[in-house]
Amino acid sequence: MPASTDLERRLVCPDPAATTELGRALGTAARPGDVVCLWGDLGAGKTHLAKAFGAGLGVTDTITSPSFILMAEYTGRLPLFHIDLYRLADASDALAGGLIDDRQAAGVTLVEWPDRLGRALPGRRLDVRIEGSGEEPRTIELQARDPDLRRYLEAVP
């Protein structure tokens, strides 16, 4: 059952196909400079959602989790910068390595494990919180942290 407020929506995706549909819809709403943070435990489906988001952007390359390289770039309607911070202890590692830079203003940045950024986490972002794992349905909460990002919530069926 969808539940919503002006800048928040809560949905249940009963299966991977519904999660794919959600990710694609979110990708169509992306604009340059957007940051989308994917929150959830291991196995929640963050990378699955990232792949679908990329498809919504028109990315044709295979999107994989960049756990070991930290960031992967893909070409689509907008550049997609897919960051996975699982292996980092904190934001200092990411910032010292130049992981976040001005190039990302031209595209959209998807961040898995955004909690690792701590105080460096951008205030203007879309938070996507995924609950569930394995074969169970996913409860997904979307929170636009800026009124301009409401377009993501409006893009969701």
Side-chain angles (χ1 to χ4, degrees), residues 15-150:
D15 54 40
T19 303
T20 298
E21 182 181 352
L22 171 63
R24 283 178 180 266
L26 294 175
T28 64
R31 292 187 189 154
D34 286 353
V35 175
V36 177
C37 294
L38 305 179
W39 305 79
D41 293 333
L42 281 172
K46 295 179 297 297
T47 301
H48 180 93
L49 190 71
K51 290 177 181 188
F53 189 99
L57 278 174
V59 172
T60 57
D61 291 335
T62 301
I63 295 175
T64 60
S65 180
S67 295
F68 293 100
I69 57 171
L70 302 182
M71 182 174 75
E73 297 180 42
Y74 300 96
T75 302
R77 175 178 61 82
L78 298 171
L80 173 62
F81 301 93
H82 182 199
I83 299 173
D84 185 331
L85 302 175
Y86 179 70
R87 300 203 178 283
L88 297 184
D90 59 38
S92 61
D93 292 339
L95 299 174
L99 192 58
I100 310 234
D101 63 34
D102 293 337
R103 294 175 306 138
Q104 290 151 334
V108 60
T109 303
L110 260 145
V111 183
E112 293 189 42
W113 302 98
D115 56 302
R116 306 299 203 268
L117 286 175
R119 292 178 188 235
L121 188 63
R124 185 189 176 280
R125 65 183 190 268
L126 175 72
D127 283 332
V128 180
R129 296 184 185 276
I130 307 170
E131 295 177 15
S133 64
E135 299 300 316
E136 63 189 42
R138 302 298 193 264
T139 299
I140 300 178
E141 295 181 16
L142 307 174
Q143 183 179 27
R145 299 249 175 196
D146 183 278
D148 178 55
L149 300 174
R150 181 181 298 117

